[in-house]
Amino acid sequence: MKTNDVILQTTTKVVFFIIFLFSIHIFFAGHYTPGGGFVGGLLTTGAIVLLLLAFDLKTVQKALPFNFTIMTAIGLLLALGTAAGAIFFNVPFFTHAFDDFTLPLFGVTSLHTAMVFDAGVFLVVVGSAITIIQSIGGDS
Amino acid sequence: MAFQILLNFFIAVIWMFMNSSLTATTFIIGYLIGLILIIMTRRFFNSRLYVWRLWSAIKLTLLFFKELALSNISVLMLVIRPKLKLQPMIFALPTELEHDWEITLLSSLITLTPGTIVLHVSDDQRTLYIHAIDVDDVDEAIDSIKNSFEKAIMEVSRA
């Protein structure tokens, strides 16, 4: 029997954005405070799982038309590329670099290549977790 | 109403550019001037001034806090009575609200006030099934919800 989930669905539409925003915050906070790519990725996964609980698999696939397998691959490539980029500058594998830049709005920001590696971790976590959930949940 | 807020923002931004000072203070001054302009030209808009809607949203929030305090006290009175003589009840509340967010808001408000819980929303979204901890008169319980929360929500959502 299909019950009327109007309360769950309306609340999800609001809460999804708050969780997603928090996951972005956690992702960027990772360098100086607790957080990082892994928790950020898991929080994003949690937000998408909430969507999957409130709506059905097809609706979510239509709303987020990403191929999560390819997302995992892109994440792995990003992580490997950041690590391998170091050997072009005559430093050992996995050596990171950073510098201070003056960005509009942000002011002086310290940009670190570890963040690109973290973005790779983020994409791998989101991609693999959602792939697992979608393939368990789908019936075809 | 969204158009009015957008227009007010635009007026404030244009005011900032006219004064060539991009600070929060200038924005607030421009916003207030824009508000006066919108109130002056209110006959051109075919919906209510958004200020009234904002005001009724504030009134709804205050009403919720008042109901929260009152019903907490009444549930406390029920709990500390030496002999529990409750009359729990599940009743149907016919509602006139239409939008999804209105029904969600109404059921959240009903659930958050102690003593009442929304169990189910009917498929056509015209009826809410509510469990109440102690009801003497069903019609009275329905009326009290209808007159407080539903009326206040309709006041907010009315165009």
Side-chain angles (χ1 to χ4, degrees), chain B residues 1-2 4-5 8 31-32 34-36 38-40 42 47-59 155-156:
Chain B
M1 125 152 170
Q4 291 177 23
I5 295 177
N8 208 337
Y31 198 88
L32 291 177
L35 196 59
I36 295 170
I38 287 177
I39 290 172
M40 269 164 54
R42 64 185 174 278
S47 61
R48 267 190 317 164
L49 272 183
Y50 77 92
V51 189
W52 297 128
R53 229 183 223 206
L54 206 66
W55 174 238
S56 38
I58 294 168
K59 272 203 298 196
E155 195 76 17
V156 177

Side-chain angles (χ1 to χ4, degrees), chain A residues 50-117:
Chain A
L50 181 66
L51 277 186
L52 285 167
L53 287 176
F55 301 94
D56 53 306
L57 213 63
K58 277 224 176 71
T59 321
V60 176
Q61 250 159 8
K62 210 177 278 175
L64 302 167
F66 304 121
N67 188 335
F68 287 96
T69 327
I70 290 177
M71 188 186 267
T72 315
I74 293 173
L76 283 172
L77 275 179
L78 263 184
L80 188 69
T82 327
I87 56 177
F88 292 110
F89 297 97
N90 246 346
V91 281
F93 189 65
F94 250 120
T95 309
H96 285 298
F98 76 96
D99 202 0
D100 291 333
F101 296 94
T102 311
L103 299 176
L105 289 176
F106 289 101
V108 177
T109 317
S110 161
L111 292 182
H112 202 296
T113 49
M115 216 212 72
V116 185
F117 183 78

Side-chain angles (χ1 to χ4, degrees), chain A:
Chain A
M1 196 187 83
K2 187 95 186 82
T3 49
N4 189 357
D5 319 318
V6 58
I7 300 172
L8 180 66
Q9 289 180 351
T10 320
T11 319
T12 301
K13 280 178 202 161
V14 179
V15 170
F16 170 76
F17 292 102
I18 299 171
I19 301 176
F20 209 102
L21 200 66
F22 186 59
S23 80
I24 295 171
H25 166 73
I26 283 282
F27 171 68
F28 282 114
H31 204 65
Y32 296 110
T33 46
F38 187 74
V39 241
L42 278 185
L43 263 170
T44 307
T45 313
I48 298 171
V49 168
L50 181 66
L51 277 186
L52 285 167
L53 287 176
F55 301 94
D56 53 306
L57 213 63
K58 277 224 176 71
T59 321
V60 176
Q61 250 159 8
K62 210 177 278 175
L64 302 167
F66 304 121
N67 188 335
F68 287 96
T69 327
I70 290 177
M71 188 186 267
T72 315
I74 293 173
L76 283 172
L77 275 179
L78 263 184
L80 188 69
T82 327
I87 56 177
F88 292 110
F89 297 97
N90 246 346
V91 281
F93 189 65
F94 250 120
T95 309
H96 285 298
F98 76 96
D99 202 0
D100 291 333
F101 296 94
T102 311
L103 299 176
L105 289 176
F106 289 101
V108 177
T109 317
S110 161
L111 292 182
H112 202 296
T113 49
M115 216 212 72
V116 185
F117 183 78
D118 238 13
V121 174
F122 183 94
L123 289 179
V124 170
V125 170
V126 174
S128 47
I130 295 295
T131 310
I132 292 170
I133 290 162
Q134 275 184 344
S135 37
I136 293 174
D139 25 326
S140 55

Side-chain angles (χ1 to χ4, degrees), chain B residues 104-123:
Chain B
T104 310
L105 190 61
L106 178 66
S107 30
S108 311
L109 292 178
I110 291 172
T111 307
L112 282 170
T113 46
T116 43
I117 286 176
V118 174
L119 299 173
H120 183 65
V121 183
S122 71
D123 286 345

Side-chain angles (χ1 to χ4, degrees), chain B residues 14-63:
Chain B
I14 290 169
W15 176 259
M16 278 161 78
F17 279 116
M18 280 176 179
N19 283 285
S20 58
S21 92
L22 302 174
T23 57
T25 327
T26 327
F27 180 82
I28 293 168
I29 293 170
Y31 198 88
L32 291 177
I33 293 174
L35 196 59
I36 295 170
L37 290 181
I38 287 177
I39 290 172
M40 269 164 54
T41 55
R42 64 185 174 278
R43 279 177 192 81
F44 294 115
F45 302 108
N46 38 24
S47 61
R48 267 190 317 164
L49 272 183
Y50 77 92
V51 189
W52 297 128
R53 229 183 223 206
L54 206 66
W55 174 238
S56 38
I58 294 168
K59 272 203 298 196
L60 176 62
T61 317
L62 291 178
L63 173 76

Side-chain angles (χ1 to χ4, degrees), chain B residues 120-134:
Chain B
H120 183 65
V121 183
S122 71
D123 286 345
D124 57 353
Q125 299 197 6
R126 288 252 156 264
T127 318
L128 302 179
Y129 295 96
I130 298 170
H131 178 270
I133 193 168
D134 187 25

